[in-house]
Amino acid sequence: MSVYSMTGYATAHSGADGLPEGLPGLGIEMRSVNGRFLDLVMKLPEELRAAEPALRELLAGRLRRGKVEVRAWIEGRTDASQRAPGVAELQRLAALQDLVRGWLPQAAPLSVAEVMQLTGRPATDPGRLQAPLMHLAGIALDNLLDARRREGRRLADMLLDRVAQLRQLAADAQPLIPRLVEQQRQRFLDRWNEALGADTQGAVPGEAARERALSEATAFAIRIDVAEELTRIDAHLEEIERLLGRGAELGKRLDFLIQELHREANTLGSKSSSLELTRISVDMKVLIEQMREQVQNIE
């Protein structure tokens, strides 16, 4: 299955065929951005409002996360194309206004804009518009999913590249620990030999110094041991690769793994006893932060 981003855009338009007379066509636009849950925002004209429940059901059946804005319109509806009201319409509207003001003298008279809104557009049956609108919505949703899939593939490629870089950093850190332990052991031996050199004439004090140095080196090795952290980092990276290969809905799982990676990289830095290991920890955290930002966009 594919990896889907939550970011995408799609649009679809129809001609006048099959629509009520006088309407040039329908248009629909879908925009989606990242979000923790599925949040649908509908912006529909009055004639298309009845289709909102069906639109929500359509999108909820194929999308899992993201803020999705759906805007639909009846094409060709502009002030320049709006027809002038006929005399009969104006007379009927004036009679209705006189009737209303006869009972409600405080009612405000109709404005020109209100008259045009009530008379300048052909009456349409919302039921006749729903079928062609849903057909367009299906086309737009297919295009939106294609856009989200393409963006998801780019995000997956980026994440796999960062995974490869993190594996290399972990491999660079692996041989540093034995080297640091050996250096510290030799440093302890040198210090003990210097401290006891004036009083050490036989083999026993020298052996005691050596044992003490080895004990100190062992304690040091335990303090700086990052084998567990490197093992967990490797396990998290394997799981990220597995999820990206499987696809489907994985954004929340990836987000959790990124948090765990960041925790291990922090521990690696806190145990660092060399500039090289500190640099590796910092480089890891930079890569992990880049991954975290992109994972927020994955469904």
Side-chain angles (χ1 to χ4, degrees):
M1 296 182 69
S2 299
V3 176
Y4 286 87
S5 169
M6 286 185 283
T7 302
Y9 174 82
T11 185
H13 305 267
S14 73
D17 295 340
L19 294 179
E21 185 178 354
L23 295 181
L26 293 174
I28 190 167
E29 175 186 71
M30 296 182 182
R31 302 171 180 265
S32 68
V33 294
N34 63 314
R36 293 183 62 190
F37 308 102
L38 181 61
D39 180 14
L40 302 178
V41 179
M42 300 288 172
K43 297 184 177 181
L44 308 175
E46 190 64 35
E47 296 91 337
L48 303 178
R49 195 71 52 80
E52 181 171 338
L55 285 171
R56 288 184 177 275
E57 183 178 358
L58 175 68
L59 270 65
R62 300 182 65 185
L63 302 174
R64 294 294 177 267
R65 294 177 62 201
K67 181 176 181 180
V68 184
E69 180 182 297
V70 179
R71 187 174 70 89
W73 62 91
I74 299 174
E75 294 183 335
R77 286 211 168 164
T78 63
D79 292 339
S81 62
Q82 197 166 25
R83 68 176 179 84
V87 174
E89 289 179 303
L90 292 175
Q91 289 174 340
R92 180 179 58 84
L93 203 57
L96 289 173
Q97 178 175 245
D98 291 342
L99 177 63
V100 170
R101 299 191 71 188
W103 287 93
L104 300 172
Q106 71 277 17
L110 289 170
S111 67
V112 173
E114 290 169 335
V115 170
M116 294 299 295
Q117 184 177 9
L118 293 170
T119 64
R121 294 178 178 177
T124 59
D125 178 8
R128 298 179 63 193
L129 294 175
Q130 182 163 337
L133 177 65
M134 294 305 298
H135 176 71
L136 281 183
I139 295 173
L141 183 55
D142 287 340
N143 294 337
L144 180 68
L145 288 170
D146 285 342
R148 287 169 60 134
R149 182 166 48 244
R150 289 192 300 271
E151 178 66 16
R153 184 67 263 168
R154 286 192 287 269
L155 293 177
D157 290 341
M158 187 282 291
L159 291 174
L160 290 173
D161 175 71
R162 301 304 186 272
V163 165
Q165 293 185 52
L166 285 170
R167 285 193 185 282
Q168 185 58 54
L169 289 172
D172 293 342
Q174 197 76 44
L176 292 179
I177 303 306
R179 191 185 313 158
L180 289 171
V181 171
E182 177 58 29
Q183 291 173 355
Q184 192 66 16
R185 187 186 71 83
Q186 187 59 48
R187 191 176 298 118
F188 283 136
L189 283 172
D190 293 343
R191 288 179 180 176
W192 276 100
N193 287 333
E194 289 175 6
L196 300 175
D199 298 328
T200 302
Q201 300 299 327
V204 175
E207 286 298 321
R210 186 179 301 277
E211 290 298 324
R212 180 63 183 275
L214 291 176
S215 176
E216 294 287 345
T218 301
F220 173 77
I222 293 173
R223 287 197 307 272
I224 70 168
D225 182 27
V226 293
E228 286 188 27
E229 286 74 15
L230 293 177
T231 298
R232 285 194 290 266
I233 285 173
D234 184 66
H236 295 330
L237 294 177
E238 284 187 3
E239 181 64 8
I240 289 173
E241 287 178 324
R242 187 188 71 82
L243 289 173
L244 291 173
R246 189 193 68 181
E249 186 181 353
L250 48 86
K252 292 182 179 179
R253 292 182 178 89
L254 287 176
D255 188 50
F256 171 76
L257 289 170
I258 294 301
Q259 293 178 32
E260 293 300 305
L261 276 176
H262 194 271
R263 182 179 295 111
E264 301 302 339
N266 270 336
T267 305
L268 195 70
S270 66
K271 289 186 175 182
S272 173
S273 57
S274 70
L275 289 176
E276 192 171 359
L277 195 58
T278 299
R279 178 193 62 78
I280 289 175
S281 172
V282 171
D283 289 346
M284 279 186 170
K285 286 189 280 189
V286 170
L287 291 172
I288 292 168
E289 180 61 22
Q290 292 174 357
M291 295 173 71
R292 186 194 66 79
E293 291 177 357
Q294 298 306 322
V295 161
Q296 303 305 311
N297 293 316
I298 293 181
E299 185 178 52

